[in-house]
Amino acid sequence: MNNGSGPVLLILFFLLLSCGQVPRPAPPAPPGPGPVVPTPPGHELPPPGGPSPAVIREKELRELSGLACSLRRPGAFWAHNDSGDPARLFLFDGGGRSLGTVTLAGLAALDWEDCAVAAGPRGEPWIWVGDIGNNLSLPILKVVYRFREPDPGLLPLILDRREIQTFRFRLPAIARDCECLMVQPGTGMPYLVPKANQPEVGLFTTPSPPGPGQGVIDLVKVATLVVPGRPGLRRMVSAGDFLPGGRAFLLRTYGWLHLYRLPPPGGGCPRLKPYHSQLAPSQPAGDAVTVDPRTGTAYLSGEGPDPRLIPVPLPRGGGESPGKDP
């Protein structure tokens, strides 16, 4: 039976719709954030407000091998190439912008592998450069240069040979290849760690703080360092640096960062395990590391065009308990 009510109801429906009294279907909810994927240790982003990765814009740094924090310009970094480059260091800021160079006149960079900046006993900052590489494992001496850190405002600068001290170190025959030079702040004691595909390597230093005019110095072994990891490049030590205060140090391999506590003088030759280990950020030919003496943050870099400067937070407090082997 058709009483004509259909058109009337239809007109009433559209009137109510125009007045907003008829509920409309809700829009679909936005997609959720999805599952949370944990970040592997050593790959964390810096905390908000902390340092960020940067591209080093010094085009001549094609084979960056050594890296050290400047003491005369906090927040800036010294770096040098591996073999095949003039005997020079580059200074750049935390954003990767070039600040100049210092050239060591009359010297050759045969196989520069690492550098360090540390204050000596009188508080003056010194730059140390290690011509210590030896990929062929030939029985040669390790040559280390030392000079006062120049005023960054004077760059570019050429240092006269008389402003540079030269030391010749001799390692045992079983420890010929070396890429790690560290200098303890305050004492000026240099430490070398050989590069070897072995589960343990030695920590070597001089019998006393080196000074000008010394002949060949035989290094002494002060500790055996356990280097965790599978055989291969990922456990070969490529660089290192002391933490603030000089009582602990960081070693970088091609896969890991390991923290160790420095044994006290005269304590024999202990066997040391790292008290902390974490993955190093993935980086082609990661040959360089330094630790900011103000903040304790590690900075990593490596070879190749447009190398990156990568900050990595480290645990504070020196670590009382030994870490687990990775």
Side-chain angles (χ1 to χ4, degrees):
M1 178 178 176
N2 185 0
N3 57 7
S5 61
V8 175
L9 292 175
L10 186 62
I11 293 172
L12 289 175
F13 174 80
F14 281 107
L15 287 175
L16 291 173
L17 182 64
S18 63
C19 294
Q21 298 183 18
V22 175
R24 301 182 182 183
V36 177
V37 179
T39 302
H43 290 251
E44 304 91 340
L45 292 176
S52 300
V55 175
I56 302 172
R57 305 175 192 177
E58 178 54 71
K59 298 302 181 183
E60 297 297 321
L61 271 173
R62 305 185 186 94
E63 201 177 357
L64 193 154
S65 182
L67 183 68
C69 291
S70 170
L71 292 182
R72 300 200 63 173
R73 178 158 178 167
F77 302 85
W78 292 99
H80 61 76
N81 283 310
D82 205 325
S83 56
D85 195 52
R88 58 180 176 173
L89 291 97
F90 303 83
L91 184 69
F92 55 88
D93 64 17
R97 292 172 288 270
S98 176
L99 299 175
T101 60
V102 58
T103 301
L104 282 56
L107 299 178
L110 298 179
D111 198 355
W112 284 16
E113 290 292 355
D114 205 358
C115 63
V117 181
R122 299 180 181 177
E124 69 279 20
W126 292 81
I127 296 181
W128 301 65
V129 183
D131 200 338
I132 56 177
N134 184 13
N135 292 329
L136 298 179
S137 297
L138 298 175
I140 61 175
L141 300 176
K142 306 302 177 186
V143 179
V144 176
Y145 303 111
R146 182 177 73 176
F147 55 92
R148 287 183 172 86
E149 182 179 8
D151 182 350
L154 300 178
L155 303 183
L157 185 66
I158 299 177
L159 292 183
D160 186 87
R161 183 72 178 268
R162 292 170 294 182
E163 302 176 84
I164 306 165
Q165 299 174 10
T166 302
F167 305 113
R168 291 172 174 82
F169 299 152
R170 182 160 48 207
L171 281 166
I174 58 174
R176 291 171 178 166
D177 193 14
C178 187
E179 294 188 2
C180 174
L181 167 67
M182 306 180 293
V183 180
Q184 187 181 33
T187 66
M189 289 287 288
Y191 289 81
L192 274 68
V193 179
K195 179 181 181 180
N197 185 16
Q198 300 292 334
E200 297 180 353
V201 295
L203 175 66
F204 296 86
T205 188
T206 54
S208 60
Q214 291 182 271
V216 175
I217 302 175
D218 287 306
L219 300 183
V220 294
K221 184 177 178 181
V222 295
T224 297
L225 306 177
V226 177
V227 184
R230 297 178 180 177
L233 286 175
R234 291 175 62 84
R235 79 174 176 193
M236 298 175 72
V237 176
S238 61
D241 198 6
F242 274 95
L243 272 62
R247 292 185 295 179
F249 58 93
L250 166 69
L251 293 185
R252 177 183 188 176
T253 72
Y254 290 104
W256 292 88
L257 300 176
H258 301 300
L259 292 176
Y260 300 82
R261 298 164 64 86
L262 186 69
C269 188
R271 182 175 180 267
L272 303 178
K273 289 185 176 182
Y275 66 78
H276 174 79
S277 296
Q278 65 188 71
L279 283 171
S282 178
Q283 197 172 30
D287 278 346
V289 70
T290 187
V291 178
D292 190 325
R294 303 168 303 149
T295 66
T297 299
Y299 288 84
L300 285 65
S301 193
E303 300 179 6
D306 299 322
R308 298 179 68 209
L309 181 70
I310 304 176
V312 177
L314 298 176
R316 304 290 181 90
E320 296 297 331
S321 60
K324 296 181 180 180
D325 292 352

